[in-house]
Amino acid sequence: MKIDYLIKSVVIAASLLVSSLSFAADIDVNADTNDVAIHGYDSVAYFTDSKATKGSPEYTASYKSAIYQFSNAVNRDLFKAEPEKFAPQFGGFCAMGVALNKKLDTDPTAWKVVDGKLYLNLNKAVQQKWLTDVSGHLVTANRVWSGIQGVSIAELDAE
């Protein structure tokens, strides 16, 4: 019970923080004001190295109005060949947040690849909650995402 309350509090606080940010990318992609996705982490490295790896502005590719950074040219080229394979699900928003009808920022070190798809979470505490029922949360998140995908963070917070 105490953890659920803590997670709900963190989600609410993060929602307020994220809603105050101005995202330059498309409302369907979580990116900073410079359109950089995943806080500059290499989305391919999650698959090839099984770890969160910081990318470099030297190796970039654009996808769905966001700029992805990579740790090397090989990863950049893999992404360019199949961006839908390597881009995070739910536009890079927190998977647990989406299940809760929210678009929350993520911590690139709170991640998991499930069935060949990359999922990110707000932080490691929220990720622990998400990991308690990944398949159930994914069913909910996939259903919810279709309804919030084109909705701005501000509109979601007003509901």
Side-chain angles (χ1 to χ4, degrees):
M1 284 303 231
K2 198 172 191 179
I3 277 197
D4 285 342
Y5 176 77
L6 176 62
I7 289 173
K8 285 179 184 175
S9 297
V10 169
V11 167
I12 290 168
S15 177
L16 293 172
L17 174 65
V18 171
S19 67
S20 69
L21 298 175
S22 171
F23 292 104
D26 190 54
I27 61 174
D28 295 337
V29 179
N30 183 15
D32 67 15
T33 55
N34 292 317
D35 296 334
V36 175
I38 320 176
H39 298 277
Y41 276 70
D42 182 337
S43 64
V44 174
Y46 294 107
F47 295 89
T48 59
D49 299 335
S50 297
K51 66 180 183 178
T53 304
K54 191 77 169 141
S56 165
E58 184 178 348
Y59 307 106
T60 64
S62 296
Y63 180 64
K64 291 191 175 180
S65 304
I67 300 165
Y68 290 83
Q69 295 181 344
F70 305 92
S71 56
N72 57 58
V74 171
N75 284 6
R76 180 203 55 212
D77 294 344
L78 285 169
F79 183 88
K80 282 183 169 183
E82 294 182 274
E84 63 286 341
K85 175 180 178 178
F86 296 109
Q89 299 302 294
F90 310 123
F93 290 101
C94 173
M96 188 72 208
V98 171
L100 298 171
N101 203 47
K102 297 283 184 191
K103 287 184 174 178
L104 303 175
D105 197 13
T106 56
D107 172 353
T109 67
W111 64 278
K112 185 160 182 70
V113 173
V114 179
D115 296 329
K117 295 180 181 183
L118 174 61
Y119 298 93
L120 302 170
N121 286 112
L122 174 67
N123 57 39
K124 294 197 179 192
V126 170
Q127 182 185 38
Q128 288 305 310
K129 176 65 176 170
W130 184 73
L131 291 172
T132 63
D133 183 14
V134 173
S135 61
H137 293 312
L138 282 177
V139 167
T140 302
N142 283 315
R143 179 181 44 80
V144 170
W145 183 245
S146 65
I148 69 171
Q149 188 172 2
V151 180
S152 73
I153 294 167
E155 289 174 297
L156 285 176
D157 288 344
E159 291 179 354

